[in-house]
Amino acid sequence: AEGVVAYADLLSRCRALLIGHPEVAARERRAIAQLVVDEFQDTDALQCEVVAALALDGPADERPGLFLVGDPKQSIYGWRNADLAAYESFVDRVLAAGGERHRLVVNFRSVRPVLDEVERCLGEVMVREPGVQPAFEPLLVSDKRRDAAGFTRAGRSPVEHWVIDPTAAAAAAGDSDEAPAPADVEARAVAA
């Protein structure tokens, strides 16, 4: 509260306390029935050690249930040490300890044409590189959206690829001296 230690210090001191004082870790494990960690793809190695000390270490009858929610394709916190290698290593450790992985592959937001285009664009180029990049996994459309065509008003399709050629845009606008900025062309098209 007084800014005496930074967040990273709190994490490292927490880890040191749990690892260096097994009796404290045991007491904390017994106090937790279920440990849920959401957005687990954005954890770092230090945070994984804290979770392990609470949910994987010690006698099995002292450990809380552990439920992790994470999608490595959504890991966006590399700037604050989110570590895909730490994530993968921790998941492997959970699986080795008898944990189960349940993949959520049904998309409830998008229609089939959007998911097909994502797969077409990313399926072959999103190749697994351990610790760096997860493999591409195609998504299934939900039953509610299975037959939905998506947004098709005014001649538009659910997926469109636009390439903005500033020179052609300038000629179309009757101004061959200066091409409009691509953002301006895009803004006019979206507004239309």
Coordinates of all heavy atoms in Angstrom, one line a residue, residues 67-70 87 91 95 98-105 137:
F67 N -7.5 -25.9 -11.2 CA -8.2 -25.7 -12.5 C -7.6 -24.5 -13.2 O -7.6 -23.4 -12.7 CB -9.7 -25.4 -12.2 CG -10.6 -25.4 -13.5 CD1 -11.2 -26.6 -13.9 CD2 -10.8 -24.3 -14.2 CE1 -12.0 -26.6 -15.0 CE2 -11.6 -24.3 -15.3 CZ -12.2 -25.5 -15.7
L68 N -6.9 -24.8 -14.4 CA -6.3 -23.8 -15.2 C -7.1 -23.5 -16.4 O -7.6 -24.4 -17.0 CB -4.9 -24.3 -15.6 CG -3.9 -24.7 -14.5 CD1 -2.7 -25.3 -15.1 CD2 -3.6 -23.6 -13.5
V69 N -7.2 -22.2 -16.8 CA -7.9 -21.8 -18.0 C -6.8 -21.0 -18.8 O -6.3 -20.0 -18.3 CB -9.1 -21.0 -17.7 CG1 -9.8 -20.6 -19.0 CG2 -10.1 -21.7 -16.8
G70 N -6.5 -21.5 -20.0 CA -5.5 -20.7 -20.7 C -5.5 -21.1 -22.2 O -5.8 -22.3 -22.5
Y87 N 4.6 -21.9 -19.4 CA 3.2 -22.4 -19.5 C 3.2 -23.8 -19.9 O 2.6 -24.7 -19.3 CB 2.4 -21.5 -20.5 CG 1.1 -22.1 -21.0 CD1 -0.1 -21.8 -20.3 CD2 1.0 -22.9 -22.1 CE1 -1.3 -22.3 -20.7 CE2 -0.2 -23.4 -22.5 CZ -1.3 -23.1 -21.8 OH -2.5 -23.6 -22.3
V91 N 2.0 -27.1 -17.8 CA 0.9 -28.0 -18.2 C 1.4 -29.4 -18.3 O 0.7 -30.3 -17.9 CB 0.3 -27.5 -19.6 CG1 -0.6 -28.5 -20.2 CG2 -0.4 -26.1 -19.4
L95 N -0.2 -32.6 -16.3 CA -0.6 -33.8 -17.0 C 0.1 -35.0 -16.5 O -0.5 -36.1 -16.3 CB -0.4 -33.7 -18.5 CG -1.3 -32.7 -19.2 CD1 -0.8 -32.5 -20.7 CD2 -2.7 -33.0 -19.2
G98 N -1.3 -36.5 -13.4 CA -2.7 -37.1 -13.5 C -3.7 -36.1 -13.9 O -4.9 -36.5 -14.0
G99 N -3.4 -34.9 -14.2 CA -4.3 -33.9 -14.7 C -4.9 -34.2 -16.1 O -4.3 -35.0 -16.8
E100 N -5.9 -33.6 -16.4 CA -6.5 -33.8 -17.7 C -6.6 -32.5 -18.5 O -6.8 -31.4 -17.9 CB -8.0 -34.3 -17.6 CG -8.1 -35.6 -16.9 CD -9.6 -36.0 -16.7 OE1 -10.4 -35.4 -17.3 OE2 -9.8 -36.9 -15.9
R101 N -6.5 -32.5 -19.8 CA -6.6 -31.4 -20.7 C -7.9 -31.5 -21.4 O -8.2 -32.5 -22.0 CB -5.5 -31.3 -21.7 CG -5.5 -30.1 -22.6 CD -4.5 -30.2 -23.6 NE -3.2 -30.4 -23.0 CZ -2.0 -29.9 -23.4 NH1 -2.0 -29.0 -24.4 NH2 -0.9 -30.2 -22.8
H102 N -8.7 -30.4 -21.4 CA -9.9 -30.4 -22.1 C -9.8 -29.2 -23.1 O -9.7 -28.1 -22.6 CB -11.1 -30.2 -21.2 CG -11.3 -31.4 -20.3 ND1 -12.0 -32.5 -20.6 CD2 -10.8 -31.6 -19.0 CE1 -12.0 -33.4 -19.6 NE2 -11.3 -32.9 -18.7
R103 N -9.9 -29.5 -24.3 CA -9.8 -28.4 -25.3 C -11.2 -27.9 -25.6 O -12.1 -28.6 -25.8 CB -9.2 -29.0 -26.6 CG -7.8 -29.5 -26.4 CD -7.2 -29.8 -27.8 NE -5.9 -30.6 -27.7 CZ -4.8 -30.0 -27.4 NH1 -4.7 -28.7 -27.1 NH2 -3.7 -30.8 -27.3
L104 N -11.2 -26.5 -25.6 CA -12.5 -25.9 -26.0 C -12.3 -25.4 -27.4 O -11.6 -24.5 -27.7 CB -12.7 -24.7 -25.1 CG -12.8 -25.0 -23.6 CD1 -12.9 -23.7 -22.8 CD2 -13.9 -25.9 -23.3
V105 N -13.0 -26.1 -28.3 CA -12.8 -25.8 -29.8 C -14.1 -25.3 -30.5 O -14.1 -25.0 -31.7 CB -12.3 -27.0 -30.5 CG1 -10.9 -27.4 -30.0 CG2 -13.3 -28.2 -30.4
E137 N -5.1 -24.5 -34.2 CA -6.2 -25.5 -34.0 C -7.4 -24.9 -34.6 O -7.9 -23.9 -34.2 CB -6.4 -25.7 -32.5 CG -5.2 -26.5 -31.8 CD -5.5 -26.8 -30.4 OE1 -6.6 -27.3 -30.1 OE2 -4.7 -26.6 -29.6

